[in-house]
Amino acid sequence: MSELQINTTQNVKINFTAAGVGERLVAFIIDTAIKIGYLLLLNKIFGVFEGMDEWSQIGINTILSFPVMLYSLVLETFLDGQTLGKKALKIRVVKIDGFQTTFSDYVVRWFFRIVDVWIFGIGFFVIIFSKKLQRLGDMAAGTGVISLRDKVNINHTILEKLKTDYKPTYPNVIKLSDNDARIIKDTFTRARAAKDYATLIKLRNKLIDVVGIKDVKQASDIEFIDIILKDYNFYTQDM
């Protein structure tokens, strides 16, 4: 499986598993089956009207076919980068620069489907030879498709094991968001495992500045960051 590295707005690199060609193809087949089913239903309902002239029939079919044409654009926009097929395969469209995917990004991907899908399925071959498993639409929009199937346990989430009598140290941690906490934990876990003390020092200093901690308790960089994560969980666990 290929990895897709995303550089977040906090300048932290996070690795995701890029969705494979097979997963994307199956998702595409599911979406296509849904669209074909919708068109067959339309034909069954509106194709049997008697007394309707040909142009009226064409007009109605054209209007009712819009959901098929806009299927991927609308669903990816409102389902946070997923269509029903992508949801079934647990894959999602994301920005590879760490920013939130926007409507214009989905429009670019949707527009390039003309080339990627309908011109000899060229996108399929582009994905195979792309380092980041991107089709042309992804390259143009600066997006990628990641797999959400990674095995997750408490060490991969923002959750921390807290003792029932745990006493928090820094109440200002509520300034952080869940996304901040995920990035902090991911960076902390990787740096600690690699014994990357320079990164741990930078992370500690950044937290002191962002959280606004005036009175820093005596603790090593690892202990301090661990306290921050536990405090965040303590104050947000019931939110």
Side-chain angles (χ1 to χ4, degrees):
M1 298 290 288
S2 297
E3 283 197 338
L4 183 64
Q5 189 178 76
I6 294 178
N7 190 31
T8 70
T9 51
Q10 289 84 2
N11 201 32
V12 175
K13 291 182 173 61
I14 301 178
N15 292 326
F16 292 93
T17 301
V21 177
E23 291 175 296
R24 296 181 68 167
L25 181 59
V26 173
F28 172 76
I29 291 173
I30 292 174
D31 289 329
T32 300
I34 292 172
K35 289 186 278 188
I36 290 175
Y38 171 78
L39 290 174
L40 290 175
L41 182 62
L42 281 186
N43 183 63
K44 185 176 180 63
I45 296 175
F46 293 96
V48 296
F49 281 3
E50 295 181 2
M52 183 178 292
D53 63 84
E54 182 180 355
W55 286 107
S56 296
Q57 186 75 61
I58 292 174
I60 290 177
N61 287 342
T62 300
I63 293 173
L64 294 176
S65 294
F66 279 146
V68 171
M69 292 184 284
L70 301 175
Y71 174 88
S72 61
L73 174 61
V74 172
L75 288 188
E76 286 183 357
T77 299
F78 289 101
L79 295 182
D80 193 22
Q82 291 182 298
T83 59
L84 297 180
K86 288 185 176 70
K87 211 171 215 5
L89 270 292
K90 296 184 179 180
I91 60 179
R92 169 175 292 157
V93 178
V94 296
K95 286 284 283 185
I96 60 176
D97 61 6
F99 286 92
Q100 180 68 36
T101 313
T102 64
F103 177 68
S104 60
D105 297 321
Y106 295 129
V107 170
V108 172
R109 296 185 81 256
W110 173 76
F111 179 78
F112 269 84
R113 287 174 67 85
I114 299 172
V115 178
D116 284 324
V117 178
W118 306 117
I119 299 183
F120 307 114
I122 191 172
F124 176 80
F125 300 100
V126 173
I127 292 174
I128 292 176
F129 295 104
S130 168
K131 184 178 179 180
K132 297 180 180 179
L133 297 182
Q134 295 171 293
R135 62 178 176 87
L136 293 177
D138 287 318
M139 294 177 185
T143 58
V145 180
I146 63 170
S147 173
L148 304 176
R149 290 177 175 272
D150 294 336
K151 294 181 180 178
V152 177
N153 56 43
I154 193 169
N155 294 322
H156 298 126
T157 70
I158 61 174
L159 298 178
E160 292 287 331
K161 294 179 181 178
L162 300 179
K163 295 181 179 179
T164 53
D165 60 347
Y166 181 79
K167 295 289 190 290
T169 306
Y170 303 111
N172 279 11
V173 294
I174 59 174
K175 291 182 179 181
L176 301 171
S177 66
D178 280 355
N179 190 50
D180 293 330
R182 287 191 187 91
I183 293 171
I184 293 165
K185 181 159 188 178
D186 184 79
T187 305
F188 175 53
T189 301
R190 292 173 186 275
R192 183 172 57 179
K195 296 184 179 180
D196 184 355
Y197 301 114
T199 296
L200 290 171
I201 292 172
K202 289 179 182 178
L203 183 57
R204 175 190 178 123
N205 293 336
K206 187 68 174 178
L207 283 170
I208 292 173
D209 181 53
V210 171
V211 177
I213 300 174
K214 303 299 183 183
D215 182 20
V216 181
K217 306 300 180 183
Q218 187 66 34
S220 67
D221 297 326
I222 291 177
E223 291 171 337
F224 173 79
I225 299 168
D226 189 55
I227 290 172
I228 290 292
L229 290 169
K230 283 183 167 63
D231 282 2
Y232 181 81
N233 275 265
F234 178 87
Y235 285 111
T236 61
Q237 59 187 347
D238 295 324
M239 287 185 177

